[in-house]
């Protein structure tokens, strides 16, 4: 093979090592970058790139101030230097200022020295303008080269990407489409990428037209709108709690828990499981358990083929609750359940993706007392599938409970699988807006009288 071929192959290999490999590791796999927060907190961070721009940024700040929302602005340092009054206003109104480079250039076109000077220079200039440390950096287009990550580490900057894109920079961007993408993509811990400058001419105007509706709809869904710094703080606190509980496990069990976390991640992706809050996760499903009617009126409640949500409990929450004393556990369960059912009701009432859902259901071992919360609790047929589900859930209880499988062997955990379900109308009647203020008192009342949203049902023999 001619020498020039080897030179070309070597050059392409070095180019890939400098650009493609870091892009895959840091951008696509999010290694060492912050792209979303903890799924246990219903908080969303709105972020705005490419500003400040005197044509659009002041109106963006006006909208956020009227709504009482704090956001994170990833600003281009050379533009910030031209409009220091906008940076001062961001700080004064409680927003977070972060770096989006000194000059908005793709990092694949930058060499090592240029990359370092750009990141360091933007940090230094923004700290002079704001009078406070700059903690976060978002590379233009989210692109990494090998030195991007090294420079961030040396300069104590956390690279930040996103989990939701408004796609508000294109010439065909429309306010309604921008709002829909943000609202349907938002989930606990989401970081939303928006622009208050840049993109096609006039594109930022469509983002501003959508912003008020975005804030309203996210709040209707129960989200707190906050900054990237707050998202990172909540994530770190949750990780610290997880690590503290993990240290209580024997070493072999830690390995099993870590391995099972990868399996759980695969389930989450394949089954499209989405977090709701610290208590619940949901995934789309179909009701396949026969027709149910109201025993008194004959009204059809749910039928085969109806759209459903399969309800899952967060594993970390099960572990946390099981470590508390009986009294504390009861109070915590009530609080988590109140928030979880309220957030489920908000999803059904306000989220575009859940308007067709007719019933929420689960096959679970943790079914004691759910009738008091308005759920229907039924036995399930004893089939091989049922036994497999039961064995799987018992495995999870033993894996995550601090006492391990010993607690199951002692008979201190439920071992019989039940089908629990609640219709859309029942959930909204009990936990919809204005209906869920006093859940503990409501549960006590339900112990004596069936809840208004729950009805006796008939089912196929």
């Amino acid at each position: 093979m001619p020498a020039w071929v080897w030179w070309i192959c070597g050059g392409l290999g070095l180019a890939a090592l400098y650009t493609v490999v870091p892009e895959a590791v840091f951008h696509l796999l999010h290694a060492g970058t912050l792209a979303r927060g903890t799924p246990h907190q219903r908080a969303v961070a709105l972020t705005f790139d490419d500003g400040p721009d005197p044509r659009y940024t002041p109106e963006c700040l006006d909208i956020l101030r009227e709504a009482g929302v704090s956001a994170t602005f990833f600003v281009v340092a050379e533009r910030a230097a031209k409009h220091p009054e906008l940076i001062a206003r961001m700080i004064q109104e409680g927003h977070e200022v972060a770096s989006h480079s000194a000059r908005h250039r793709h990092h694949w076109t930058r060499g090592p020295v240029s990359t370092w000077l750009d990141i360091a220079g933007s940090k230094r200039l923004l700290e002079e303008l704001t009078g406070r440390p700059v903690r976060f950096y978002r590379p233009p287009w989210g692109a990494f080269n090998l030195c991007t990550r090294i420079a961030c580490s040396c300069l104590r900057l956390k690279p930040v990407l996103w989990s939701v894109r408004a796609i508000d920079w294109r010439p065909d961007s429309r306010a309604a489409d921008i709002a829909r993408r943000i609202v349907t993509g938002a989930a606990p811990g989401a970081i939303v990428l928006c622009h208050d400058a840049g993109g096609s001419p006039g594109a930022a105007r469509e983002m501003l037209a959508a912003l008020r509706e975005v804030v309203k709809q996210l709040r209707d869904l129960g989200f707190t709108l906050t900054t990237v710094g707050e998202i990172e703080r909540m994530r770190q606190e949750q990780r610290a709690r997880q690590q503290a509980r993990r240290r209580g496990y024997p070493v072999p069990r830690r390995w099993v828990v870590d391995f099972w976390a990868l399996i759980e991640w695969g389930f989450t992706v394949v089954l499209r499981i989405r977090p709701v809050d610290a208590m619940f996760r949901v995934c789309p499903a179909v009701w396949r358990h026969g027709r149910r009617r109201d025993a008194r009126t004959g009204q059809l409640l749910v039928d085969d083929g109806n759209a459903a949500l399969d309800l899952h409990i967060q594993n970390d929450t099960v572990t946390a609750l099981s470590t508390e004393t009986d009294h504390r556990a009861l109070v915590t369960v009530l609080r988590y359940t109140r928030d979880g059912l309220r957030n489920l009701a908000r999803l059904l009432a306000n989220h575009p993706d859940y308007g067709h859902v007719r019933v929420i259901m689960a096959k679970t071992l943790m079914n004691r007392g759910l009738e008091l919360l308005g759920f229907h609790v039924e036995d399930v047929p004893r089939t091989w599938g049922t036994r497999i589900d039961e064995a799987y859930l018992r495995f999870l209880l033993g894996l995550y409970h601090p006492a391990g499988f010993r607690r199951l062997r002692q008979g201190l955990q439920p071992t019989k699988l039940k089908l629990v379900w609640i219709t859309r109308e029942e959930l909204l009647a009990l936990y919809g807006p204005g209906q869920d203020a006093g859940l503990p008192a409501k549960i006590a009342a339900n112990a004596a009288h069936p809840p208004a949203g729950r009805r006796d049902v008939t089912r196929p023999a």
Side-chain angles (χ1 to χ4, degrees), residues 21-261:
V21 173
E23 184 75 2
V25 173
F26 303 124
H27 188 161
L28 300 180
L29 297 179
H30 299 156
T33 64
L34 179 64
R36 60 173 56 84
T38 172
H40 291 69
Q41 296 283 346
R42 287 190 71 76
V44 169
L46 294 179
T47 69
F48 298 88
D49 282 16
D50 294 358
D53 188 317
R55 297 171 297 174
Y56 307 115
T57 304
E59 184 177 349
C60 180
L61 291 170
D62 289 343
I63 295 171
L64 295 175
R65 182 184 60 195
E66 292 169 8
V69 171
S70 296
T72 300
F73 287 84
F74 287 90
V75 301
V76 178
E78 66 175 7
R79 298 172 188 170
K82 294 177 182 178
H83 305 286
E85 73 284 355
L86 293 178
I87 302 299
R89 183 180 171 187
M90 292 175 188
I91 296 297
Q92 182 181 4
E93 296 181 1
H95 302 293
E96 187 173 55
V97 174
S99 174
H100 194 41
S101 77
R103 295 179 177 84
H104 199 276
R105 278 181 51 192
H106 200 288
H107 277 209
W108 285 19
T109 67
R110 288 189 179 277
V113 175
S114 175
T115 299
W116 174 274
L117 292 177
D118 185 84
I119 296 175
S122 65
K123 182 178 189 292
R124 181 177 61 254
L125 178 56
L126 292 177
E127 289 179 343
E128 291 174 356
L129 290 173
T130 62
R132 58 185 61 184
V134 172
R135 299 169 50 206
F136 302 108
Y137 176 76
R138 177 177 284 164
W141 292 280
F144 287 80
N145 64 41
L146 185 61
C147 291
T148 306
R149 189 67 186 87
I150 295 174
C152 286
S153 296
C154 293
L155 295 168
R156 296 184 179 179
L157 288 168
K158 182 72 174 180
V160 176
L161 295 177
W162 54 83
S163 57
V164 179
R165 294 193 304 162
I167 312 183
D168 53 357
W169 46 267
R170 300 189 309 200
D172 60 345
S173 297
R174 296 294 178 266
D177 296 330
I178 292 169
R180 176 184 53 81
R181 279 191 287 267
I182 294 175
V183 172
T184 58
I191 297 175
V192 182
L193 169 62
C194 309
H195 293 80
D196 65 322
S200 300
R205 179 64 57 194
E206 294 295 320
M207 176 65 237
L208 295 177
L211 186 54
R212 283 189 176 88
E213 186 62 22
V214 165
V215 170
K216 177 184 180 301
Q217 292 190 38
L218 290 178
R219 282 179 165 167
D220 287 345
L221 288 167
F223 287 111
T224 298
L225 302 179
T226 187
T227 63
V228 167
E230 186 66 11
I231 290 288
E232 185 193 38
R233 183 192 65 78
M234 290 186 287
R235 185 188 188 193
Q236 290 175 340
E237 288 181 352
Q238 179 64 24
R239 184 168 294 175
R241 288 192 291 267
Q242 291 173 337
Q243 291 174 347
R245 287 194 292 267
R246 183 178 176 274
R247 285 194 293 268
Y249 296 148
V251 172
R253 191 166 159 208
R254 294 182 200 172
W255 298 339
V256 176
V257 169
D258 291 342
F259 172 75
W260 195 255

Side-chain angles (χ1 to χ4, degrees), residues 330-348:
L330 176 60
V331 173
T332 308
V333 166
L334 291 177
R335 177 169 57 84
Y336 275 54
T337 304
R338 175 199 62 200
D339 294 341
L341 294 174
R342 178 181 60 193
N343 288 323
L344 280 173
R346 283 172 168 164
L347 281 179
L348 267 60

Side-chain angles (χ1 to χ4, degrees), residues 318-360:
V318 174
T319 305
L321 295 178
S322 63
T323 61
E324 298 184 350
T325 64
D326 290 342
H327 175 69
R328 288 186 58 196
L330 176 60
V331 173
T332 308
V333 166
L334 291 177
R335 177 169 57 84
Y336 275 54
T337 304
R338 175 199 62 200
D339 294 341
L341 294 174
R342 178 181 60 193
N343 288 323
L344 280 173
R346 283 172 168 164
L347 281 179
L348 267 60
N350 300 304
H351 199 290
D353 288 350
Y354 300 126
H356 65 297
V357 171
R358 302 307 311 160
V359 61
I360 298 92

